[in-house]
Amino acid sequence: TQICCNMTTNTFYRNRLPHWVPVGATVFVTFRTQDSLPGEVVLRFKKRLKEIKYELSQESPGERKRLLYLEQKRLFGRFDAMLDSRPQGRCVLKAPGIAGILKERMESMNGQWYDLQAYTIMPNHVHLLIDLSCQLEKAESHSQYVQLDRIMQHLKGGSSRFINLQLGGKGRFWAKDSYDHWVRDDDEWERIYRYILMNPVKAGLAKEWLDWPHTYAKYP
């Protein structure tokens, strides 16, 4: 694939944390079930991120941006390793019926709001790689462009309803926050793409990425 380089307008949305996603970007998203990590662990990660931002506040804008990007990558690595090595909660996403609901939801938006490039559904979290640039060819105005926050609301909100129905439960199924990272170049895209495919192997769930039934790759 080739990363779009003509992205000059940024979109911004705020949930519990701020997110910046350029219009037409390729985005790596990780979202998790509500019971996947204890609340105190999540708060500890958020506290550390705030500390890092404060520690870098005296750097020049360019250097601060570069260092923050590296620190955020390190924090995400620790966060994801914890999800993989010590899976908590009911881990219901590994059930074929539950994973099937999520697959159908992700694939329903493919070609309309994004180009679906890869995903893997882990027992209590999901890695997703999508290219939003397909919207640029269709949207006649900026107001018609569907931003990432709306896409995630549609994905998580719709799937949680049907998952709860199947499980006989109610209430929040997905954790409110999602981790998203826009892909800067082709080299980074290749690293993330491989990371997604190999995550079940790294977590000890499969010997080869093709063995894990809940993985999709547009470019095998």
Side-chain angles (χ1 to χ4, degrees):
T1 187
Q2 190 167 12
I3 302 301
C4 175
C5 301
N6 298 318
M7 300 175 291
T8 57
T9 305
N10 287 341
T11 63
F12 171 82
Y13 65 93
R14 183 181 297 277
N15 190 346
R16 294 181 184 174
L17 295 173
H19 302 254
W20 290 95
V21 180
V23 168
T26 296
V27 190
F28 170 46
V29 186
T30 295
F31 55 105
R32 61 186 181 86
T33 59
Q34 177 73 9
D35 61 0
S36 57
L37 287 175
E40 60 269 22
V41 172
V42 178
L43 288 175
R44 190 162 67 243
F45 275 102
K46 290 181 178 180
K47 180 182 178 182
R48 179 55 189 150
L49 181 57
K50 288 183 179 179
E51 291 173 348
I52 290 170
K53 289 180 178 179
Y54 176 77
E55 292 167 2
L56 298 176
S57 61
Q58 300 303 314
E59 299 287 346
S60 65
E63 184 66 2
R64 181 169 64 247
K65 184 178 180 180
R66 185 185 72 83
L67 293 173
L68 181 59
Y69 167 68
L70 293 174
E71 291 297 334
Q72 285 176 325
K73 283 183 65 176
R74 292 191 188 99
L75 275 180
F76 171 74
R78 290 169 53 195
F79 188 85
D80 196 52
M82 189 172 293
L83 287 170
D84 287 336
S85 62
R86 290 182 285 173
Q88 299 190 38
R90 294 175 293 171
C91 295
V92 297
L93 297 181
K94 63 184 177 182
I98 303 300
I101 292 172
L102 188 55
K103 291 175 187 178
E104 183 178 356
R105 198 69 175 178
M106 289 190 289
E107 291 165 5
S108 70
M109 293 177 278
N110 187 27
Q112 177 186 4
W113 288 353
Y114 54 66
D115 174 34
L116 182 59
Q117 300 191 334
Y119 66 70
T120 191
I121 302 172
M122 302 293 283
N124 62 5
H125 65 288
V126 182
H127 295 305
L128 173 66
L129 184 64
I130 53 177
D131 178 5
L132 307 182
S133 66
C134 67
Q135 290 193 59
L136 301 180
E137 302 173 359
K138 303 173 183 178
E140 296 180 0
S141 66
H142 183 73
S143 63
Q144 293 181 326
Y145 181 85
V146 182
Q147 299 186 15
L148 182 62
D149 61 330
R150 185 179 165 196
I151 290 173
M152 294 309 298
Q153 288 170 3
H154 187 77
L155 173 54
K156 293 166 69 176
S159 61
S160 66
R161 176 173 175 266
F162 290 106
I163 290 172
N164 275 333
L165 283 173
Q166 183 154 328
L167 294 175
K170 60 181 181 179
R172 185 181 297 278
F173 179 77
W174 298 108
K176 189 174 182 180
D177 282 330
S178 299
Y179 168 88
D180 54 72
H181 169 78
W182 66 274
V183 184
R184 270 67 171 177
D185 54 44
D186 289 345
D187 288 340
E188 187 173 45
W189 183 92
E190 290 181 7
R191 290 194 298 271
I192 291 172
Y193 192 80
R194 179 171 175 79
Y195 179 89
I196 291 173
L197 301 191
M198 296 303 295
N199 197 226
V201 177
K202 183 180 177 182
L205 299 173
K207 291 184 178 180
E208 302 288 341
W209 76 266
L210 286 168
D211 296 336
W212 185 244
H214 309 317
T215 293
Y216 167 80
K218 183 176 182 180
Y219 309 101

Short mmCIF file of all heavy atoms in Angstrom, two decimals, residues 11-33:
data_model
loop_
_atom_site.label_atom_id
_atom_site.label_comp_id
_atom_site.label_asym_id
_atom_site.label_seq_id
_atom_site.Cartn_x
_atom_site.Cartn_y
_atom_site.Cartn_z
N THR A 11 -8.31 16.53 12.00
CA THR A 11 -9.53 16.43 12.78
C THR A 11 -9.14 16.22 14.22
O THR A 11 -8.11 15.61 14.52
CB THR A 11 -10.42 15.26 12.31
OG1 THR A 11 -9.71 14.04 12.51
CG2 THR A 11 -10.77 15.39 10.85
N PHE A 12 -9.95 16.71 15.12
CA PHE A 12 -9.66 16.61 16.55
C PHE A 12 -10.91 16.14 17.26
O PHE A 12 -12.00 16.59 16.96
CB PHE A 12 -9.26 17.98 17.11
CG PHE A 12 -9.15 18.02 18.62
CD1 PHE A 12 -8.00 17.58 19.24
CD2 PHE A 12 -10.18 18.49 19.39
CE1 PHE A 12 -7.90 17.61 20.62
CE2 PHE A 12 -10.08 18.53 20.78
CZ PHE A 12 -8.94 18.09 21.39
N TYR A 13 -10.77 15.19 18.16
CA TYR A 13 -11.89 14.84 19.00
C TYR A 13 -11.38 14.50 20.39
O TYR A 13 -10.25 14.12 20.57
CB TYR A 13 -12.71 13.69 18.41
CG TYR A 13 -12.01 12.35 18.32
CD1 TYR A 13 -12.13 11.42 19.33
CD2 TYR A 13 -11.26 12.01 17.20
CE1 TYR A 13 -11.52 10.18 19.24
CE2 TYR A 13 -10.64 10.77 17.10
CZ TYR A 13 -10.78 9.86 18.12
OH TYR A 13 -10.17 8.64 18.03
N ARG A 14 -12.24 14.66 21.36
CA ARG A 14 -11.85 14.43 22.74
C ARG A 14 -12.82 13.45 23.38
O ARG A 14 -14.02 13.65 23.34
CB ARG A 14 -11.85 15.74 23.53
CG ARG A 14 -11.38 15.58 24.97
CD ARG A 14 -11.43 16.90 25.72
NE ARG A 14 -10.53 17.88 25.13
CZ ARG A 14 -9.23 17.95 25.41
NH1 ARG A 14 -8.69 17.09 26.25
NH2 ARG A 14 -8.47 18.87 24.85
N ASN A 15 -12.26 12.40 23.94
CA ASN A 15 -13.04 11.49 24.75
C ASN A 15 -12.53 11.71 26.16
O ASN A 15 -12.78 12.72 26.76
CB ASN A 15 -12.84 10.06 24.24
CG ASN A 15 -13.79 9.07 24.88
OD1 ASN A 15 -14.43 9.36 25.86
ND2 ASN A 15 -13.88 7.89 24.30
N ARG A 16 -11.76 10.82 26.69
CA ARG A 16 -11.06 11.11 27.93
C ARG A 16 -9.66 11.65 27.65
O ARG A 16 -9.06 12.30 28.47
CB ARG A 16 -10.94 9.84 28.78
CG ARG A 16 -12.29 9.34 29.29
CD ARG A 16 -12.11 8.12 30.14
NE ARG A 16 -13.39 7.56 30.55
CZ ARG A 16 -13.52 6.42 31.22
NH1 ARG A 16 -12.45 5.72 31.54
NH2 ARG A 16 -14.71 5.97 31.56
N LEU A 17 -9.17 11.35 26.45
CA LEU A 17 -7.86 11.82 26.03
C LEU A 17 -8.00 12.49 24.67
O LEU A 17 -8.87 12.12 23.88
CB LEU A 17 -6.88 10.63 25.91
CG LEU A 17 -6.55 9.89 27.21
CD1 LEU A 17 -5.72 8.67 26.89
CD2 LEU A 17 -5.81 10.79 28.17
N PRO A 18 -7.15 13.47 24.33
CA PRO A 18 -7.23 14.11 23.02
C PRO A 18 -6.67 13.21 21.93
O PRO A 18 -5.77 12.41 22.16
CB PRO A 18 -6.38 15.36 23.19
CG PRO A 18 -5.40 15.00 24.26
CD PRO A 18 -6.12 14.07 25.19
N HIS A 19 -7.21 13.33 20.74
CA HIS A 19 -6.76 12.56 19.60
C HIS A 19 -6.64 13.50 18.40
O HIS A 19 -7.52 14.29 18.14
CB HIS A 19 -7.77 11.45 19.25
CG HIS A 19 -8.05 10.50 20.36
ND1 HIS A 19 -7.56 9.21 20.39
CD2 HIS A 19 -8.77 10.64 21.50
CE1 HIS A 19 -7.98 8.60 21.49
NE2 HIS A 19 -8.72 9.45 22.17
N TRP A 20 -5.55 13.35 17.66
CA TRP A 20 -5.37 14.11 16.41
C TRP A 20 -5.25 13.11 15.28
O TRP A 20 -4.40 12.23 15.31
CB TRP A 20 -4.12 14.97 16.47
CG TRP A 20 -4.22 16.12 17.43
CD1 TRP A 20 -3.79 16.15 18.72
CD2 TRP A 20 -4.77 17.41 17.18
NE1 TRP A 20 -4.05 17.37 19.29
CE2 TRP A 20 -4.65 18.16 18.36
CE3 TRP A 20 -5.37 17.99 16.05
CZ2 TRP A 20 -5.10 19.48 18.46
CZ3 TRP A 20 -5.81 19.29 16.15
CH2 TRP A 20 -5.68 20.03 17.35
N VAL A 21 -6.12 13.23 14.28
CA VAL A 21 -6.09 12.33 13.14
C VAL A 21 -6.23 13.14 11.86
O VAL A 21 -7.27 13.76 11.64
CB VAL A 21 -7.24 11.29 13.22
CG1 VAL A 21 -7.18 10.37 12.01
CG2 VAL A 21 -7.16 10.49 14.50
N PRO A 22 -5.22 13.18 11.01
CA PRO A 22 -5.34 13.92 9.75
C PRO A 22 -6.44 13.35 8.85
O PRO A 22 -6.67 12.14 8.83
CB PRO A 22 -3.96 13.74 9.10
CG PRO A 22 -3.05 13.37 10.22
CD PRO A 22 -3.89 12.58 11.18
N VAL A 23 -7.10 14.23 8.14
CA VAL A 23 -8.13 13.80 7.20
C VAL A 23 -7.50 12.89 6.14
O VAL A 23 -6.45 13.21 5.58
CB VAL A 23 -8.79 15.03 6.54
CG1 VAL A 23 -9.65 14.61 5.35
CG2 VAL A 23 -9.60 15.80 7.55
N GLY A 24 -8.12 11.76 5.86
CA GLY A 24 -7.63 10.84 4.86
C GLY A 24 -6.48 9.97 5.31
O GLY A 24 -5.83 9.32 4.50
N ALA A 25 -6.21 9.94 6.61
CA ALA A 25 -5.06 9.19 7.13
C ALA A 25 -5.31 7.69 7.13
O ALA A 25 -6.45 7.22 7.08
CB ALA A 25 -4.73 9.65 8.54
N THR A 26 -4.24 6.94 7.19
CA THR A 26 -4.29 5.52 7.54
C THR A 26 -4.07 5.44 9.04
O THR A 26 -3.12 6.03 9.56
CB THR A 26 -3.23 4.72 6.78
OG1 THR A 26 -3.50 4.79 5.38
CG2 THR A 26 -3.22 3.27 7.22
N VAL A 27 -4.95 4.71 9.74
CA VAL A 27 -4.96 4.76 11.20
C VAL A 27 -4.89 3.35 11.79
O VAL A 27 -5.59 2.43 11.33
CB VAL A 27 -6.23 5.46 11.72
CG1 VAL A 27 -6.12 5.73 13.21
CG2 VAL A 27 -6.50 6.76 10.97
N PHE A 28 -4.04 3.22 12.79
CA PHE A 28 -3.94 1.99 13.58
C PHE A 28 -4.73 2.23 14.86
O PHE A 28 -4.45 3.15 15.61
CB PHE A 28 -2.47 1.71 13.88
CG PHE A 28 -2.21 0.61 14.87
CD1 PHE A 28 -2.89 -0.59 14.80
CD2 PHE A 28 -1.28 0.78 15.88
CE1 PHE A 28 -2.64 -1.61 15.71
CE2 PHE A 28 -1.02 -0.23 16.80
CZ PHE A 28 -1.70 -1.42 16.72
N VAL A 29 -5.74 1.39 15.11
CA VAL A 29 -6.61 1.55 16.27
C VAL A 29 -6.58 0.30 17.11
O VAL A 29 -6.64 -0.82 16.59
CB VAL A 29 -8.07 1.84 15.84
CG1 VAL A 29 -8.94 2.15 17.07
CG2 VAL A 29 -8.14 2.98 14.84
N THR A 30 -6.50 0.48 18.42
CA THR A 30 -6.62 -0.63 19.37
C THR A 30 -7.74 -0.29 20.35
O THR A 30 -7.75 0.80 20.93
CB THR A 30 -5.32 -0.85 20.15
OG1 THR A 30 -4.29 -1.26 19.24
CG2 THR A 30 -5.50 -1.94 21.21
N PHE A 31 -8.69 -1.18 20.47
CA PHE A 31 -9.75 -0.99 21.46
C PHE A 31 -9.95 -2.30 22.22
O PHE A 31 -9.61 -3.37 21.74
CB PHE A 31 -11.04 -0.48 20.83
CG PHE A 31 -11.61 -1.31 19.70
CD1 PHE A 31 -12.72 -2.11 19.90
CD2 PHE A 31 -11.05 -1.27 18.42
CE1 PHE A 31 -13.27 -2.86 18.86
CE2 PHE A 31 -11.59 -2.00 17.37
CZ PHE A 31 -12.70 -2.80 17.60
N ARG A 32 -10.49 -2.19 23.43
CA ARG A 32 -10.51 -3.34 24.34
C ARG A 32 -11.84 -3.44 25.06
O ARG A 32 -12.61 -2.47 25.12
CB ARG A 32 -9.37 -3.20 25.37
CG ARG A 32 -9.49 -1.96 26.23
CD ARG A 32 -8.30 -1.74 27.16
NE ARG A 32 -8.49 -0.54 27.96
CZ ARG A 32 -9.15 -0.51 29.12
NH1 ARG A 32 -9.65 -1.63 29.62
NH2 ARG A 32 -9.30 0.61 29.79
N THR A 33 -12.09 -4.59 25.64
CA THR A 33 -13.30 -4.80 26.42
C THR A 33 -13.19 -4.07 27.75
O THR A 33 -12.09 -3.81 28.25
CB THR A 33 -13.56 -6.29 26.67
OG1 THR A 33 -12.45 -6.86 27.38
CG2 THR A 33 -13.75 -7.04 25.36
#
